[in-house]
Amino acid sequence: MSEHNLLQTEQGKALFETIASRIETDGPLSLANYISLALGDADHGYYHKQDPFGADGDFTTAPEISGLFGEMCGLYLAHMADLSGLTQSAILELGPGRGSLMADMRHVWSQIMPQLANSPVHLVETSPALRQQQKDRLAPADLYWHPDLDDLPATPIFGIANEFFDALPIDQAIWRQDHKETAGSWRHRLVGLVDGRLGFVDGPALSPAEIDIWHLASMPAPTDGSIAEYCSMADAYAGKLATHIASYGGACLIIDYGRDGPSGDSLQAVANHQPVDVFHQPGDADLSHWVDFSALRRSATSSGARLVGPVTQSDFLQAIGIAQRTEAAAKLADAETRRGLFAAVERLVSSQQMGSAFKVAMMLPSGTGLPPGFAAAGDQGSTI
Ligand code: SAH
């Protein structure tokens, strides 16, 4: 075992012990609580102790695959800012990772839209290690970090969130049919100790208020063991973003894997590019889930804004001209760079890779009409 792996295992053990002793004292944890500790624990949480991106990490995101992704998003937001005719604005990114996406967008703005290039950049990031990487990568931008969206400036905001919402902790509920098979109930799916190991245990039934918030009444008839998910942090972030955009204007792209509806049990864990059990050495694996865009739309609408889309990443990038942009860039490149460029774009748009699993939506002030790139969606969302 390499020194790196050995160190990870030691850290996984340390976090396991913290979680196990908490369960022994206080009883089972909510799933969201477990995920928050596994990802966010200040000493041993996944996002706090290592750089999970790229070939040496656990996953590769679109901005890390090709600078063209950030370039296309930057051009798109510049177009939205231009359409809105606003003179003063701020830039926002939720979960900026290594800062690559923002660096690529700012590069485009420096060439075509100085107003955005000179705007202050607000970043929502909890990991101190990633904050440092963002600072190094984005200097000399005027940067502000926030733990959440409570203290944004009172100006229009042009923002982006790529693979942010999938990383937020979720809760799950499990349907238990009663013995007579005539009725059943949704019960919280908690994290407890089963034979000395972490595992799922049934918790109390969801209250009528919870059934309402989780939007479970409209679920098609569940069967014994059916699973539902709810992300209260996504609700909170989307609601605050919507309140801001409804009051001051702007637009925010939301890009993530997910569906325009619930996905059942979508929680997944990945370590070293391989799927692992969700309780595998907590803190050593990335935990994520499929984003429910219909839930984001409900939060947007109830806070006075709207969500357009989702459309697939492939439809969006092609509608806004990624093929033409790639051709133009390829003309200036040597043969090897050209091959790399086409291969990267293929990865972003091919339905076997990121093209259809990833979706793009945009939060906007209330109104009607579809902005460019969203023709494949209806105003009330699409059918994907
Ligand atoms: N957008 C980047 C990184 C995606 S990974 C990219 O596409 O490459 C998720 C990012 O969200 C990381 O930067 C992570 O530290 C941040 N993050 C995760 N949970 C968060 C939370 N609860 N609050 C703020 N940031 C969070």
Side-chain angles (χ1 to χ4, degrees):
M1 187 181 279
S2 75
E3 204 171 295
H4 178 64
N5 285 344
L6 195 63
L7 192 67
Q8 284 195 354
T9 313
E10 291 299 308
Q11 289 180 328
K13 261 193 213 143
L15 192 51
F16 167 80
E17 270 152 29
T18 312
I19 293 172
S21 77
R22 196 183 278 197
I23 294 173
E24 271 161 3
T25 338
D26 301 336
L29 293 177
S30 75
L31 179 58
N33 219 327
Y34 167 73
I35 298 173
S36 302
L37 288 167
L39 297 181
D41 179 79
D43 297 319
H44 306 296
Y46 181 77
Y47 279 114
H48 285 252
K49 65 179 200 217
Q50 59 202 352
D51 180 353
F53 308 103
D56 297 334
D58 293 322
F59 57 89
T60 310
T61 57
E64 303 299 336
I65 290 173
S66 170
L68 264 181
F69 181 79
E71 221 181 272
M72 297 309 296
C73 295
L75 285 170
Y76 188 82
L77 285 178
H79 182 64
M80 292 306 296
D82 205 30
L83 284 181
S84 66
L86 300 163
T87 50
Q88 198 201 6
S89 55
I91 304 300
L92 171 69
E93 184 172 2
L94 300 162
R98 286 175 164 175
S100 310
L101 176 55
M102 186 54 68
D104 294 334
M105 296 202 304
R106 283 175 47 77
H107 178 67
V108 169
W109 297 334
S110 69
Q111 294 171 338
I112 59 157
M113 198 148 188
Q115 179 210 328
L116 290 186
N118 297 328
S119 296
V121 177
H122 297 267
L123 304 169
V124 175
E125 177 59 68
T126 40
S127 153
L130 289 174
R131 282 184 180 205
Q132 186 58 48
Q133 283 201 38
Q134 293 151 17
K135 186 173 174 194
D136 298 341
R137 185 77 195 266
L138 298 172
D142 187 13
L143 301 171
Y144 301 88
W145 282 271
H146 305 261
D148 55 38
L149 292 172
D150 286 329
D151 52 354
L152 293 177
T155 57
I157 249 174
F158 292 91
I160 194 158
N162 186 62
E163 291 207 45
F164 171 74
F165 283 96
D166 70 71
L168 299 176
I170 48 161
D171 277 308
Q172 289 188 335
I174 187 160
W175 179 262
R176 292 296 184 202
Q177 201 73 32
D178 71 15
H179 341 288
K180 291 181 198 137
E181 300 281 320
T182 48
S185 58
W186 285 108
R187 311 190 76 85
H188 285 279
R189 203 170 184 221
L190 305 178
V191 177
L193 285 170
V194 183
D195 301 329
R197 291 163 178 251
L198 294 173
F200 284 115
V201 295
D202 282 11
L206 271 68
S207 68
E210 286 170 328
I211 301 249
D212 197 38
I213 295 170
W214 288 51
H215 218 68
L216 292 176
S218 60
M219 281 262 288
T223 54
D224 194 47
S226 292
I227 287 178
E229 295 181 338
Y230 172 63
C231 185
S232 67
M233 276 177 84
D235 244 8
Y237 277 116
K240 283 179 187 172
L241 190 58
T243 304
H244 190 95
I245 288 177
S247 312
Y248 304 106
C252 186
L253 284 170
I254 298 175
I255 307 169
D256 228 310
Y257 41 90
R259 292 185 60 233
D260 197 20
S263 294
D265 180 7
S266 79
L267 183 64
Q268 58 193 34
V270 172
N272 301 320
H273 295 272
Q274 299 294 328
V276 292
D277 185 83
V278 294
F279 298 118
H280 163 90
Q281 294 171 14
D284 284 349
D286 178 45
L287 293 170
S288 68
H289 67 278
W290 278 53
V291 172
D292 178 353
F293 283 89
S294 69
L296 299 182
R297 183 179 315 107
R298 283 195 294 274
S299 309
T301 312
S302 64
S303 298
R306 67 177 171 137
L307 191 82
V308 291
V311 295
T312 65
Q313 177 167 295
S314 173
D315 282 347
F316 179 76
L317 290 176
Q318 308 219 46
I320 66 170
I322 196 166
Q324 294 81 339
R325 189 91 187 154
T326 313
E327 291 290 346
K331 283 208 179 92
L332 307 172
D334 59 49
E336 197 184 328
T337 315
R338 206 159 40 233
R339 267 196 299 279
L341 201 59
F342 284 118
V345 172
E346 174 69 8
R347 222 170 138 184
L348 298 177
V349 301
S350 143
S351 57
Q352 274 82 47
Q353 304 199 48
M354 300 175 81
S356 7
F358 279 76
K359 310 290 188 303
V360 182
M362 185 163 58
M363 187 104 64
L364 287 174
S366 61
T368 53
L370 289 176
F374 289 94
D379 226 1
Q380 290 308 305
S382 61
T383 52
I384 41 177

